[in-house]
Amino acid sequence: WWGSENGPEKTSDSNGNTVYPKIVGQADFSDWREKEEFHDPVIIVPGILGSQKVDGKWQMDLIFHVYDNLYKEFTANGYTVEDDLYKFPYEWRDSNIDNAKLLKEKIEEIKEEKNWPKVDIVAHSMGGLLAREYIESDYYGDDVDQLITLGTPHLGAPESYLKWDGDKWFWSLGDIYTKNIIKQEAEEMGYDDIFDYVHERPVESLKELLPTYEYLQEVDNDYKYKIYPQDYPRNEFLENLNSQENIKKLENIEFDKIVGKLNNENITIAGFNVIDADMGKYWEHGYPLGLEIPIIGKSSMFYSDGDKTVPIFSAKSQEIPEDDLVEVVSDHRSLPTEAQKDVLELLTGVRPENEKRDSLIKDMLIISVFSPIDINLTYQDQSGQTQTIGANQPNPTEDGAFYAKYYLQDENKQNLGQEIEFITVPNPTESDYQLQTIGTSQGNYKIEVVRILEDQDGQTQEQTIEFTGTTEPNQTQDLNFQIQNNQLINQQDQQAPQIEIQSPQNQTYLNSGQLKFEFQANDNISEIQNIQIQKYLDAKETQEEVILDLSLQKLGKHQFKIIAQDEAQNQSEKTVEFEIGTDLPTFTSNLDHYEDLKLLRSQETRFIQQILKKIQRLQAIKKMIQDSSKLKKKDKEHLEKLVDKLIQKTLDGLEKNIQAKTEKKISPNAKELLLDQLDWLGKNL
């Protein structure tokens, strides 16, 4: 563009020759633009989960379709795919340092192909760190005109500490997807668990997302911050990226930040309250106290505003100057959709009137294959159309289902022989799913089907079923499952869970101490954690673990029932009947327990114990009569009846005395317990 539709300005010199004031030397300007409507080519760089490998090539955003709306917004506003709109998918497990060199190669290709000197970059999440690594590197080609980061954790994200230091992946739909994929890779590679795989492969990108500021508070030191970096897993990559020397290089481009926030100071993890605990290889730098305990676990963290993943202060990163800062009400995964108009306005100076808002994925089906088989999946999509995806089938399908099959590689990108195969189905419908296996060699196989649901608050639920079997080359088998009533159901499972109750047993327990109810429910298909359990004590359902203080229970017959239901809705139940009783020594010891519980006063305890000792003496007399060799049978029976009458008279007297006591002397609860035990003794002594 020369400022005119007629091309470069021209005049004539004194000799009548044509002169171009804006051109020095020789130039071919025959293909000048006739309008000022042009822009730099744009490269979209995704975040940590935004790339998948298909047929040996990296492709962008085939699972969650996070960038679809942004991409369509570009094409609706004058950009053309592979002409001035490009994607940069990459191996997100590798270091951003390595991937930045590949970004340079991508930019060089565009510059050469389009004969254009610079590009613009729009980068989401970790993609912004990758782009900065290139721009701040020694090999930077001065070929980026504008960088826009979306929700990039410029100072790191504390959430990554959970994964790197303790192998905890339970925060979001994306997290659980990543956990399942990495779990499959770790198992195929022979690692004991995900933690070892992440650290020994290693998955460098996770480490490069760790914060470079203080975010761990010591519970045992008045919640003072540990000092970075010596008491933290160190992030030298981000330290270098944010050095003053490197930050200064960003002044040579237009650098804009778009940050997500939800206007809630209790929405995004800002740090952890930790204790020093010897947990082997886990939590070397501090265990978030109570992390895995419901309700209590939330107190192991402290929060700030942000996008549920990146704290607002890390995305803003005030010590890293920008040209424009835009705040958008959005969570992390939705930010490319919510900020699409802002992105186009920052790049072109014109704010679009319309935007693309296709539905975001809140429900995901992941089918992971453990060789030696290939798989095909057939199902109905949201529109009622039948879709098939898998080996030798179209990929991806119209509804966005994705099939992947690739080999794990070493640091030199050489295949290691371990094959990874999986299918993902976004927003799966409630319908029947037919899974076909095709044997690739002889052996045992395993298929894990995981469904991940995310509610409006971002809370996730994970449902899992598993298929196992044996196969031979080219042998096909049909497996079936379904989603029904919002549950993942294994239709191959016809057997109900087997229930074993270890405690209580069918016997009489003295009413002293605690009785813990213990049981197991196992299934031939469903994992233990996926079996639904209902517990009933005396026909009343209880959600909590059952531990009875026997001294506080009503004496007599009781019933404990377990109902177990597997993922295929097969149901079984088992019932145990037991009895709670008492005797004089137990009743006597219970009185001290009641006094400790403030149910009885000391004076009343001593009085009742004296009466019980009298009854014990009468029992001893009765035993002497029974054991006497000098008394005749008739005399024994007569004397035993007299002693029984005395015992009953003493019990009746004690009962009347207790009933007459006021509430100040004996609480109603204690009175009920005492009278129940006296009644039992009257019938069983």
Side-chain angles (χ1 to χ4, degrees), residues 402-428:
F402 169 65
Y403 170 78
K405 184 177 180 180
Y406 58 90
Y407 288 95
L408 295 175
Q409 296 180 329
D410 61 17
E411 62 273 13
N412 298 317
K413 306 304 179 184
Q414 299 298 311
N415 288 344
L416 296 172
Q418 287 82 9
E419 185 179 81
I420 299 299
E421 183 178 7
F422 66 89
I423 291 173
T424 60
V425 181
N427 299 322

Side-chain angles (χ1 to χ4, degrees), residues 475-493:
Q475 178 183 355
T476 62
Q477 299 178 36
D478 293 324
L479 307 171
N480 299 288
F481 65 93
Q482 65 180 190
I483 298 176
Q484 187 178 63
N485 298 324
N486 213 29
Q487 291 295 320
L488 186 63
I489 300 171
N490 183 348
Q491 291 181 297
Q492 304 299 115
D493 188 358

Side-chain angles (χ1 to χ4, degrees), residues 17 28 33 60 117 188 190 244 263 266 294 345-346 362 365 405 455 610 646:
N17 298 318
D28 177 7
R33 291 181 178 267
M60 193 175 87
E188 290 286 1
Q244 288 301 312
N263 298 318
N266 298 300
E345 184 176 13
L346 286 170
K362 299 290 185 180
L365 198 64
K405 184 177 180 180
D455 62 21
Q610 287 176 2
L646 285 172

Side-chain angles (χ1 to χ4, degrees), residues 386-397:
T386 298
Q387 301 288 353
T388 299
I389 190 167
N392 303 319
Q393 299 296 327
N395 188 33
T397 61

Side-chain angles (χ1 to χ4, degrees), residues 325-339:
L325 175 66
V326 180
E327 296 183 9
V328 178
V329 178
S330 173
D331 63 47
H332 191 69
R333 188 151 49 93
S334 304
L335 194 53
T337 291
E338 300 297 340

Side-chain angles (χ1 to χ4, degrees), residues 4-50:
S4 167
E5 63 181 12
N6 298 316
E9 176 187 349
K10 59 184 177 180
T11 61
S12 298
D13 62 13
S14 58
N15 298 320
N17 298 318
T18 301
V19 177
Y20 296 88
K22 293 184 178 180
I23 298 176
V24 177
Q26 301 295 316
D28 177 7
F29 53 84
S30 60
D31 58 348
W32 71 78
R33 291 181 178 267
E34 297 180 355
K35 294 182 180 179
E36 195 175 0
E37 297 174 358
F38 58 88
H39 42 244
D40 293 324
V42 169
I43 303 176
I44 298 178
V45 181
I48 193 170
L49 304 176

Side-chain angles (χ1 to χ4, degrees), residues 421-476:
E421 183 178 7
F422 66 89
I423 291 173
T424 60
V425 181
N427 299 322
T429 58
E430 292 211 343
S431 64
D432 295 328
Y433 292 78
Q434 291 80 46
L435 191 59
Q436 180 191 57
T437 70
I438 307 166
T440 55
S441 62
Q442 186 173 10
N444 299 321
Y445 68 81
K446 180 175 73 171
I447 301 173
E448 289 184 354
V449 182
V450 179
R451 185 184 178 208
I452 313 166
L453 300 90
E454 185 176 271
D455 62 21
Q456 293 180 345
D457 297 324
Q459 300 299 313
T460 54
Q461 176 189 353
E462 189 174 3
Q463 303 170 357
T464 305
I465 59 176
E466 183 179 290
F467 298 99
T468 57
T470 59
T471 190
E472 296 181 357
N474 300 317
Q475 178 183 355
T476 62

